[in-house]
Amino acid sequence: MSTEIANKDLLRGGQFLVKETKCEDVFTLEDLSEEQKMMRDSTKEFVDRELWAHWERFEQKDYAYTEECMRKAGELGLLSVAVPEAYGGMGMGFVSTMLVCDYISGATGSFSTAFGAHTGIGTMPITLYGTEEQKQKYVPKLASGEWFGAYCLTEPGAGSDANSGKTKAVLSEDGKHYSISGQKMWISNAGFCNLFIVFARIEDDKNITGFIVENNPENGITFGDEEKKLGIHSSSTRQVFFSDTKVPVENMLSERGNGFKIAMNALNIGRIKLAAACLEAQRRVINEAVKYANERIQFKTPIINFGAIKAKIANMSTNAYAGDSACYRAAKNIEDRIAIREAEGNSHQDAELKGVEEYAIECSILKVAVSEDVQETSDEGVQIFGGMGFSAEAPMEKAWRDARIARIYEGTNEINRMLSVGMLVKKAMKGHVDLLGPATAVGEELMGIPSFDAPDFSELFAEEKDLIARLKKVFLMVAGSAVQKFGPELEKHQQLMLAASDILIEVYMAESTILRTEKNAKRFGEEAQATQIAMSRLYLYNATEKVIQKGKEAIISFAEGDEQRMMLMGLKRFTKYTNNPNVAALRTQIADKVAADNGYTFD
């Protein structure tokens, strides 16, 4: 374990809500090593040459071209970044795997889906849960791109309720193999994969079991036609049917009944990787929108000069910057937690599983926030292009369609919203995050007389950090009262949990943005970070407005009488600015910088 990690105050997952994070302790894109910058640049070069230059082919359902590009990515080592060196991979850290996933995913959702399905849920379950023999047999082929993987979990009757699958695995009389029978749907990479990670139920087990199944048509495996989809047109998506498909007993993945755990842990990693996969997509949409707005002349001036367009460009850029900030903050926390566990004697497998699981709350937060931002960004991209944005001849239309799936992948955003709050409450009950103490303190503060002393906001972000601390109190006030009132029944109040989760999401995203900019302002100077400071302030303003809306919605949904009045007064107190920011001026400042750079230059 490095001295840097040892000296860092590394918070546990969810503790950002109740403990202060120093800006020096967050990782930002500006902290990338030279090796990581080279990896990023080579990935972008591959994407520009093979993917972005041929985006029309992906829209024409050219599945063969997706497979061809995947093989080229394998030849460049881009499929092996997260794979340990012992199995033919590069063995890079979690930040580096996020970085490649980020920059390889922005040109087309078709390739992004193929890449994510293969490197994540197609390969990762074997590297993290496989026996040594399984890893030696399969992982090197997957890492090189000689073989491709797919993941068979979803069934017609088992979507969000993943453990309810009906696919059966029956042990043969001689005990040498299982016969798998069942139907799987929405299987990415099905048209060209070499193996499947298949989940099936043995007898009447409570939980499903995972298996590694080689794709052999002569072994009872058949496929439906390619699905007709709104977007990701060249991502191969088919139903897969298993009819007495024989699988050697040694191809069981992990232990019997452990499949649900495998699936859930794969989703944790998949969620933060999906957030990363939406980042470069946002940047590229912004770049195209800005170039078009700089060149499009209306009323004898480029449309970039109109305030309405500036507002869009500023909001798009601000959301992208916030996504970058939060994703890489969480990625480095996971990487550091993995290093700590390895230093304590854990195997790489266990260290990575537990490291990611520790930050499952943050993974869900990021999945929701960034997938919704990329949808909004692409929608505004269409709007900036006007009539051309609606045309399939321009790249905006496909970006909008491709973005839509991100809110469904890796558990719907509704599921992830409820998970983020539910997991936080469970952590509190286990003593991993002290919510009770801070929530009680907030309750006592509400009963007390507020201070009227003028705070000292002379330092950069002093007021913003004070406001973020108070936004955390809003969540503690709402969640603390809700838990006290409903206890274990809280999960049945889904609309309340959705509102609370939006507060939690905005707190994490806003704080990550402020911390990144504060860190960089200290080392590069405030003048060099002027636009980033403006974006951080704009994001916090927007976040605060959402907290006000969702806080009120939550409070009036379960509190009544004096309790409701007290909490609404608390909401007003906790979300009040001392000095309201000039939002129009912030947007103009941001948009003018992006327009001058002719694109997004903050990565």
Side-chain angles (χ1 to χ4, degrees):
M1 184 169 61
S2 69
T3 305
E4 176 193 356
I5 298 173
N7 293 336
K8 184 186 296 185
D9 185 14
L10 184 60
L11 302 185
R12 299 194 66 168
Q15 283 188 332
F16 72 88
L17 189 66
V18 293
K19 291 190 175 184
E20 183 180 357
T21 301
K22 298 176 184 176
C23 68
E24 292 82 7
D25 289 339
V26 299
F27 182 87
T28 77
L29 276 172
E30 293 76 20
D31 294 315
L32 293 176
S33 67
E34 289 304 314
E35 182 182 29
Q36 287 170 328
K37 290 176 183 176
M38 289 174 61
M39 183 178 297
R40 175 195 63 191
D41 293 344
S42 63
T43 302
K44 289 175 71 174
E45 182 183 340
F46 166 77
V47 171
D48 287 337
R49 182 181 67 249
E50 304 292 347
L51 308 181
W52 188 252
H54 305 287
W55 63 264
E56 297 95 336
R57 294 186 68 172
F58 293 101
E59 295 313 296
Q60 294 162 2
K61 302 184 180 180
D62 193 341
Y63 304 108
Y65 190 63
T66 299
E67 182 180 356
E68 178 185 332
C69 290
M70 283 287 289
R71 296 204 184 280
K72 289 179 179 179
E75 291 167 5
L76 292 173
L78 297 173
L79 304 181
S80 68
V81 178
V83 174
E85 292 182 57
Y87 311 110
M90 298 172 68
M92 305 295 288
F94 199 83
V95 171
S96 295
T97 68
M98 282 278 287
L99 193 65
V100 171
C101 182
D102 173 353
Y103 284 91
I104 208 168
S105 300
T108 165
S110 296
F111 183 86
S112 175
T113 296
F115 177 86
H118 170 74
T119 59
I121 51 182
T123 302
M124 186 174 54
I126 305 177
T127 62
L128 295 182
Y129 287 97
T131 63
E132 185 62 26
E133 291 75 19
Q134 289 170 345
K135 287 185 285 188
Q136 292 286 357
K137 182 177 181 180
Y138 294 114
V139 176
K141 293 179 180 179
L142 295 168
S144 67
E146 177 186 349
W147 277 27
F148 294 118
Y151 184 82
C152 294
L153 177 63
T154 304
E155 299 182 13
S160 297
D161 186 7
N163 201 38
S164 64
K166 306 298 183 187
T167 297
K168 287 288 186 181
V170 179
L171 185 64
S172 63
E173 290 185 6
D174 60 10
K176 292 184 178 180
H177 68 264
Y178 284 91
S179 289
I180 294 181
S181 296
Q183 175 185 358
K184 300 290 184 177
M185 65 188 303
W186 308 122
I187 307 306
S188 297
N189 295 352
F192 60 87
C193 73
N194 303 90
L195 67 77
F196 304 97
I197 306 297
V198 180
F199 295 90
R201 194 176 310 278
I202 302 173
E203 297 176 344
D204 293 322
D205 287 359
K206 177 183 177 182
N207 293 321
I208 51 180
T209 298
F211 296 89
I212 302 170
V213 182
E214 295 185 22
N215 184 5
N216 179 2
E218 297 180 2
N219 189 20
I221 300 175
T222 56
F223 300 89
D225 294 335
E226 290 286 355
E227 298 286 353
K228 297 178 176 65
K229 308 185 295 290
L230 172 69
I232 55 171
H233 280 168
S234 287
S235 164
S236 176
T237 311
R238 293 183 170 189
Q239 292 191 63
V240 183
F241 301 90
F242 300 96
S243 179
D244 289 325
T245 300
K246 292 180 174 54
V247 183
V249 291
E250 57 266 25
N251 274 28
M252 180 185 288
L253 193 57
S254 186
E255 302 169 1
R256 177 172 173 172
N258 216 24
F260 185 64
K261 183 177 180 181
I262 296 172
M264 292 303 99
N265 280 323
L267 285 173
N268 284 335
I269 300 175
R271 283 164 184 153
I272 189 170
K273 293 287 185 68
L274 178 67
C278 294
L279 296 175
E280 177 70 354
Q282 288 184 77
R283 301 184 199 111
R284 286 183 179 263
V285 166
I286 294 167
N287 291 341
E288 293 301 308
V290 171
K291 289 174 187 174
Y292 184 83
N294 270 329
E295 295 169 2
R296 175 67 168 168
I297 306 296
Q298 291 290 282
F299 305 104
K300 299 181 180 180
T301 186
I303 65 171
I304 197 79
N305 292 330
F306 297 128
I309 301 297
K310 289 187 181 198
K312 294 181 187 299
I313 296 296
N315 286 332
M316 294 158 73
S317 301
T318 295
N319 287 343
Y321 182 76
D324 287 347
S325 306
C327 281
Y328 285 95
R329 172 191 183 182
K332 190 63 166 72
N333 284 346
I334 291 171
E335 182 171 288
D336 288 347
R337 184 62 64 182
I338 291 170
I340 289 170
R341 285 191 168 274
E342 287 182 327
E344 292 172 347
N346 286 251
S347 68
H348 174 76
Q349 290 171 282
D350 289 341
E352 184 159 342
L353 281 168
K354 293 296 183 182
V356 176
E357 188 178 2
E358 177 66 56
Y359 297 98
I361 295 167
E362 287 81 353
C363 291
S364 283
I365 286 173
L366 292 167
K367 190 274 179 182
V368 173
V370 187
S371 68
E372 293 183 357
D373 283 343
V374 74
Q375 184 78 71
E376 182 180 345
T377 296
S378 60
D379 192 72
E380 292 286 45
V382 171
Q383 196 71 8
I384 290 169
F385 267 64
M388 279 303 298
F390 204 69
S391 169
E393 300 297 318
M396 287 299 167
E397 179 259 1
K398 66 94 179 172
W400 184 88
R401 287 185 291 98
D402 281 358
R404 186 59 184 87
I405 189 63
R407 287 154 59 194
I408 299 171
Y409 275 159
E410 312 296 352
T412 66
N413 282 12
E414 291 72 24
I415 289 287
N416 275 284
R417 277 183 161 92
M418 290 184 287
L419 274 174
S420 63
V421 176
M423 289 188 292
L424 185 60
V425 171
K426 287 178 181 177
K427 275 202 164 209
M429 290 178 175
K430 291 179 180 178
H432 294 173
V433 179
D434 178 17
L435 289 185
L436 181 60
T440 302
V442 171
E444 292 172 354
E445 184 178 347
L446 286 176
M447 301 298 292
I449 300 172
S451 171
F452 294 101
D453 295 338
D456 179 11
F457 289 151
S458 56
E459 290 189 8
L460 176 66
F461 290 144
E463 179 171 5
E464 288 78 8
K465 290 166 76 173
D466 176 72
L467 178 55
I468 287 172
R470 288 186 278 117
L471 295 184
K472 293 178 182 181
K473 291 180 181 180
V474 174
F475 179 86
L476 291 167
M477 175 181 69
V478 170
S481 297
V483 170
Q484 190 174 24
K485 184 166 188 175
F486 299 117
E489 300 289 302
L490 177 62
E491 62 183 23
K492 294 181 180 179
H493 298 267
Q494 292 191 352
Q495 293 184 52
L496 171 58
M497 291 185 72
L498 291 174
S501 72
D502 279 334
I503 299 170
L504 186 67
I505 289 166
E506 293 305 327
V507 165
Y508 186 73
M509 300 299 289
E511 182 180 64
S512 300
T513 308
I514 293 288
L515 290 173
R516 174 189 183 182
T517 306
E518 182 187 12
K519 181 179 184 178
N520 289 329
K522 285 184 176 181
R523 56 182 171 180
F524 303 132
E526 291 185 26
E527 186 177 344
Q529 294 290 300
T531 307
Q532 290 91 327
I533 290 170
M535 288 193 290
S536 301
R537 286 175 170 154
L538 178 60
Y539 191 92
L540 178 58
Y541 173 84
N542 291 335
T544 302
E545 290 301 301
K546 191 164 188 178
V547 169
I548 293 170
Q549 176 195 350
K550 295 298 180 178
K552 182 178 180 181
E553 180 183 318
I555 290 166
I556 62 179
S557 73
F558 76 93
E560 297 177 342
D562 289 342
E563 182 190 20
Q564 184 186 102
R565 284 191 290 274
M566 185 67 69
M567 291 178 72
L568 289 174
M569 286 174 59
L571 175 65
K572 187 175 181 179
R573 185 199 305 183
F574 293 147
T575 57
K576 183 180 179 181
Y577 270 96
T578 301
N579 302 295
N580 285 298
N582 184 332
V583 177
L586 290 176
R587 288 175 180 151
T588 299
Q589 178 184 349
I590 297 162
D592 286 349
K593 168 63 173 172
V594 178
D597 292 345
N598 206 28
Y600 183 89
T601 57
F602 306 104
D603 61 331

